[in-house]
Amino acid sequence: MNATTAEKNKDLPPPHEGVLELADNLWWTWHEEAHALFASLDPDLWAACGMNASRLLASIPEDQLQEKLKAPDFQDRYHAVMTAYRAEMGKQATTWYEGRRTDGEIAYFCMEYGLATWLPFYAGGLGVLAGDHLKACSDLGVPLIGVGLLYKEGAGVQRISADGDQATEFLEIDVDKLPLERLENEDGSPLLVSLPLGDRSIEVQIWKLQVGRVPLYLLDSDVDSNMPDDRAITARLYPSEAGTRIKQEIVLGIGGVRALRLLGHEPAVWHMNEGHSVMLVLANALDHLERGSTLDAALERVRSNTVFTTHTPVPAGHEKFSLDLIRSLLVPYRAEAPELVEQLIDEACESGESFGMARLAMRMSNRRNAVSELHGKVARGMWAHLWPDRPIEQVPIGHITNGVHLQTWLAPEFVRIFDEKFGLGWINAADDPETWQAIRQIADATIWGTHLKLKERMLRFLASRAIDGEGVNRLSLDPRALTIGFARRFVTYKRADLVFKDAERIAALMADPNRPVQIVMTGKAHPADQAGQALLKEVYLRTGMPEFAGRFVFVPDYNMDVARYLVQGVDVWLNTPRVPNEASGTSGQKAAMNGVLNFSILDGWWAEAYTPEIGWSFGDPDPIDDEETQDDLDARDLLDTLENEILPYYYDGSPQPAKWIGMMKNSIQQVSPDFTARRMIKQYVEQLYRG
Ligand SMILES: *Cc1c(COP(=O)(O)O)cnc(C)c1O
């Protein structure tokens, strides 16, 4: 270390304190050097701890830790990481957001957050998107505060029996081994928010999770003073029982507003990410009434700074609750402000019978967005009845297409190559198409070699995780075979079975010794979705059929780790929804950035991104009403495209398929700038967060 670095380092804490500080902020999860620093303390224990730094530091023997921390090589890397961390977290750091008109803080409410596999507070795409939202806001310096729930039993782990039956197992999380801080009063007792609920009041405590610069507050009803049933309100994500579910949403919406006030926040914008958090409008309107506003003025003020993002074009996905249930829980609020509660009930109810969360959110926000261009169009049609005087194209719902957090999803091997070719700092210009032009200067052999390495890594992972027909884990897949990945929630409209519709034909294609094909699938069905579970079972049972065994595997318990291996390691990413049910989809974006070619029907984000240079489309973007016939047509086109277009490109007779690699580069170059969370957050700031 030279004198100037020593000089610079003198303000840094000693390594032991420093690694504890780093572990407490999720910043390390998306900075590869920080990740590697923890891994180097004990690679085996690191894997055993599920790559959770807090757990590692709680588990590693003290003398071993001290020994490691003293090694000069470790100290050098520690100083580099810590310097970068301090520079970014410091008050003087310059960010994109700086210099823009600042209206104040943005409160972001969501039911789920997917930040890391070992933080089981997410179920799927909505949560992973919210996690990426927070990380990108941190990168850009956007003054956002996240609000969610702490689920002590998490989202459940999926187990699949040999018969293909799905079971969900809930395991209590160990809060001591997570970077969670419980907010406390000076005497060490938990800081509590009281919340009237039906005939009683409950209390919730607040946990803080630091995501780079962005704090995430998680509410938790597991407090001593609550009755046992109330303590369990926030135990699990998305419970099937409607009563628990709406109670969770009251905790999130009303509890969330009260927690922020208690902590001294006065957000300028309230962002409801999906309708689950719409109760926040009740809490905010009550505050305005308390401060002396009239009812109309209170509602107007709430509308003026509330924004709403809708995430589903499927009507069944819009949550509704029985009015009796809502009324029984809102009794104390009605006692306080009868007219307000009646008015909100009016706004939420279509024809007097059920309380629509998304409907209320539409009515009580002044800016609204869907999550892709096509979804915007669908959403305007779906909600047109709320604006009967307007033609459909003037229904006030815009769109901001989803994007993904590059540092979370791009393989570190590619990051290193791009560091070399694009110049340092390129990640901060990743939403600029210019940045990606240098991909042309990267040799085919480098791209292909990296891809094969990532594919091998995925195959090793599958060998320990995937299940084939005999219920055993074994490395049965061939690294040279074209490998298709499919990772989706199992709901019928996503049509996981479409590729198997003509089972004989796909089996023959897969078994062709000159052009073999393999399929890797993963995904969960909601425990209350019988049709989804039946679909999962049907698909799963194929892994055991002789014509598919060894070529088709299923990975139980789809989560962010599984997603990362798959979107970095397969050759082709398949998506088969019934158009236009996919609001956006983001897994295909993750795949595209890693040079994995998308093969998808033109729905969601792919309808915007697709060009024949970067992947393939199939099926009918303008479906007919007869679903069964449409499924057959789409299935046939899927296999035609696979057989006649995709396979010849992949198996071109050379060890390094030139046209394929060309498409990989095109995919990386075209998709990455447009579909990063960085682009998405800039649009949220400009279109939604600024008045
Ligand atoms: C990215 C991701 C999703 C969302 O992907 P879709 O394409 O929207 O289905 C869901 N689950 C996990 C674990 C993910 O990483």
Side-chain angles (χ1 to χ4, degrees):
M1 201 188 307
N2 62 38
T4 44
T5 30
E7 186 65 21
K8 265 197 288 186
N9 289 339
K10 83 177 178 342
D11 297 333
L12 297 179
H16 197 187
E17 277 166 46
V19 292
L20 292 173
E21 182 184 333
L22 278 174
D24 275 342
N25 187 327
L26 292 183
W27 182 90
W28 71 262
T29 62
W30 74 93
H31 290 84
E32 181 53 26
E33 326 73 60
H35 203 274
L37 193 70
F38 287 118
S40 73
L41 291 174
D42 185 335
D44 291 337
L45 189 59
W46 177 243
C49 290
M51 299 190 282
N52 165 1
S54 305
R55 179 173 285 272
L56 175 83
L57 292 174
S59 315
I60 195 167
E62 188 60 31
D63 46 353
Q64 184 188 335
L65 178 63
Q66 293 307 338
E67 196 64 30
K68 281 279 181 188
L69 295 177
K70 272 192 248 139
D73 159 62
F74 181 88
Q75 296 229 340
D76 283 352
R77 288 186 302 133
Y78 163 75
H79 283 124
V81 169
M82 202 63 193
T83 305
Y85 172 71
R86 283 287 173 96
E88 201 174 317
M89 294 304 125
K91 293 252 179 296
Q92 310 87 323
T94 49
T95 66
W96 168 82
Y97 191 79
E98 237 177 41
R100 256 139 249 279
R101 204 183 83 219
T102 319
D103 287 316
E105 292 176 322
I106 299 127
Y108 178 86
F109 281 59
C110 191
M111 205 70 192
E112 47 170 313
Y113 290 91
L115 289 153
T117 303
W118 44 268
L119 282 169
F121 307 148
Y122 67 96
L126 179 70
V128 176
L129 182 83
D132 281 5
H133 197 103
L134 301 193
K135 291 172 184 172
C137 280
S138 171
D139 293 341
L140 289 163
V142 178
L144 187 116
I145 310 160
V147 180
L149 299 184
L150 182 94
Y151 304 102
K152 289 237 173 86
E153 296 177 28
V157 176
Q158 180 196 46
R159 310 257 183 242
I160 300 175
S161 76
D163 296 332
D165 294 315
Q166 172 185 277
T168 307
E169 194 180 321
F170 290 88
L171 305 165
E172 183 107 8
I173 59 167
D174 186 350
V175 286
D176 293 338
K177 299 207 172 73
L178 297 175
L180 288 164
E181 180 198 354
R182 190 177 71 165
L183 301 188
E184 295 176 349
N185 297 302
E186 270 168 26
D187 64 1
S189 60
L191 192 62
L192 295 173
V193 176
S194 315
L195 198 67
L197 195 66
D199 56 2
R200 59 195 181 281
S201 215
I202 66 163
E203 296 190 306
V204 294
Q205 56 185 353
I206 311 166
W207 300 82
K208 184 177 174 191
L209 192 58
Q210 194 65 38
V211 186
R213 298 180 174 101
V214 171
L216 170 60
Y217 296 110
L218 298 171
L219 307 178
D220 169 19
S221 70
D222 185 19
V223 171
D224 288 343
S225 50
N226 289 335
M227 296 196 298
D229 280 359
D230 293 334
R231 293 184 67 153
I233 290 174
T234 58
R236 297 176 179 185
L237 180 55
Y238 297 136
S240 305
E241 199 255 319
T244 311
R245 213 153 154 144
I246 183 65
K247 284 178 200 160
Q248 285 192 344
E249 298 183 17
I250 290 174
V251 170
L252 175 66
I254 301 178
V257 170
R258 300 202 162 163
L260 290 182
R261 297 253 191 271
L262 188 67
L263 298 170
H265 293 287
E266 277 292 340
V269 178
W270 300 82
H271 184 174
M272 303 182 287
N273 195 41
E274 202 36 283
H276 310 115
S277 52
V278 74
M279 287 295 168
L280 72 82
V281 305
L282 171 56
N284 278 335
L286 279 171
D287 276 357
H288 292 309
L289 291 181
E290 225 165 78
R291 295 176 198 176
S293 292
T294 63
L295 179 61
D296 284 349
L299 291 173
E300 214 25 67
R301 294 195 53 183
V302 169
R303 281 197 190 96
S304 73
N305 64 4
T306 304
V307 302
F308 174 48
T309 303
T310 171
H311 287 268
T312 174
V314 184
H318 292 137
E319 234 181 354
K320 293 200 174 103
F321 291 101
S322 93
L323 204 46
D324 288 346
L325 179 60
I326 294 278
R327 281 192 181 284
S328 71
L329 292 170
L330 295 187
V331 163
Y333 302 95
R334 199 180 177 285
E336 207 181 312
E339 287 179 349
L340 169 64
V341 171
E342 287 309 319
Q343 172 111 24
L344 292 180
I345 286 175
D346 264 6
E347 303 275 8
C349 292
E350 184 116 19
S351 42
E353 82 290 359
S354 62
F355 189 97
M357 304 297 272
R359 182 185 163 101
L360 182 59
M362 285 284 171
R363 302 290 283 217
M364 290 306 299
S365 48
N366 82 333
R367 287 187 293 272
R368 310 159 196 85
N369 74 298
V371 292
S372 71
E373 190 178 345
L374 180 59
H375 178 218
K377 203 166 140 207
V378 174
R380 286 188 288 279
M382 266 183 91
W383 296 101
H385 58 283
L386 297 184
W387 289 274
D389 304 338
R390 298 193 183 205
I392 286 193
E393 54 294 352
Q394 283 172 31
V395 168
I397 304 172
H399 78 271
I400 295 173
T401 303
N402 286 342
V404 297
H405 187 248
L406 191 84
Q407 298 95 301
T408 298
W409 298 107
L410 182 61
E413 284 78 359
F414 276 123
V415 172
R416 280 196 282 278
I417 294 168
F418 299 163
D419 277 347
E420 228 169 79
K421 293 287 175 185
F422 298 179
L424 287 175
W426 68 273
I427 279 184
N428 296 331
D431 53 330
D432 180 353
E434 292 260 323
T435 302
W436 297 88
Q437 281 181 8
I439 188 101
R440 300 281 136 212
Q441 289 150 28
I442 300 174
D444 281 11
T446 305
I447 298 280
W448 192 242
T450 305
H451 174 64
L452 290 184
K453 199 166 141 192
L454 294 168
K455 189 171 179 181
E456 299 262 3
R457 180 156 77 203
M458 173 192 71
L459 293 178
R460 279 197 304 279
F461 169 75
L462 292 180
S464 66
R465 275 291 289 269
I467 295 183
D468 71 6
E470 291 153 41
V472 290
N473 303 336
R474 52 172 200 187
L475 185 58
S476 53
L477 298 181
D478 176 357
R480 287 157 308 180
L482 176 90
T483 303
I484 299 175
F486 181 98
R488 307 278 148 202
R489 199 153 45 86
F490 275 76
V491 282
T492 50
Y493 73 80
K494 297 203 185 217
R495 301 191 295 186
D497 55 342
L498 197 72
V499 65
F500 296 116
K501 196 119 203 164
D502 184 344
E504 230 171 274
R505 187 171 168 204
I506 183 69
L509 283 175
M510 289 169 78
D512 181 343
N514 296 318
R515 309 195 308 182
V517 177
Q518 307 175 135
I519 300 178
V520 181
M521 272 199 187
T522 183
K524 299 175 182 172
H526 188 273
D529 179 2
Q530 294 304 324
Q533 285 179 55
L535 178 64
L536 191 152
K537 180 176 175 128
E538 184 206 317
V539 166
Y540 179 85
L541 287 177
R542 289 192 191 276
T543 62
M545 297 178 179
E547 63 271 41
F548 295 111
R551 298 190 186 97
F552 172 38
V553 294
F554 193 94
V555 195
D557 201 39
Y558 180 33
N559 60 30
M560 289 177 70
D561 262 346
V562 175
R564 204 176 282 115
Y565 282 109
L566 262 54
V567 299
Q568 296 174 359
V570 299
D571 299 300
V572 169
W573 197 251
L574 180 67
N575 195 14
T576 56
R578 248 180 226 128
V579 180
N581 287 311
E582 181 91 305
S584 166
T586 52
S587 59
Q589 303 170 349
K590 302 167 193 168
M593 293 172 182
N594 285 287
V596 169
L597 302 183
N598 276 271
F599 176 29
S600 167
I601 202 159
L602 290 176
D603 200 4
W605 80 283
W606 189 235
E608 275 161 65
Y610 168 74
T611 68
E613 294 81 36
I614 64 168
W616 295 273
S617 74
F618 72 91
D620 194 345
D622 196 10
I624 54 174
D625 285 339
D626 175 0
E627 282 184 352
E628 219 164 294
T629 308
Q630 188 63 62
D631 289 354
D632 285 337
L633 293 171
D634 287 348
R636 184 168 346 131
D637 196 31
L638 189 165
L639 293 190
D640 285 348
T641 309
L642 176 62
E643 182 169 359
N644 303 325
E645 296 181 42
I646 300 180
L647 285 169
Y649 268 61
Y650 193 81
Y651 293 109
D652 73 347
S654 71
Q656 210 174 278
K659 277 196 200 158
W660 190 278
I661 299 166
M663 285 180 77
M664 290 173 72
K665 290 185 187 174
N666 295 341
S667 169
I668 295 170
Q669 181 179 0
Q670 287 185 40
V671 172
S672 306
D674 287 352
F675 298 95
T676 53
R678 205 176 165 85
R679 183 274 304 151
M680 170 178 80
I681 295 301
K682 287 182 177 180
Q683 290 182 330
Y684 271 99
V685 168
E686 260 136 32
Q687 296 171 32
L688 227 62
Y689 297 160
R690 296 205 286 168

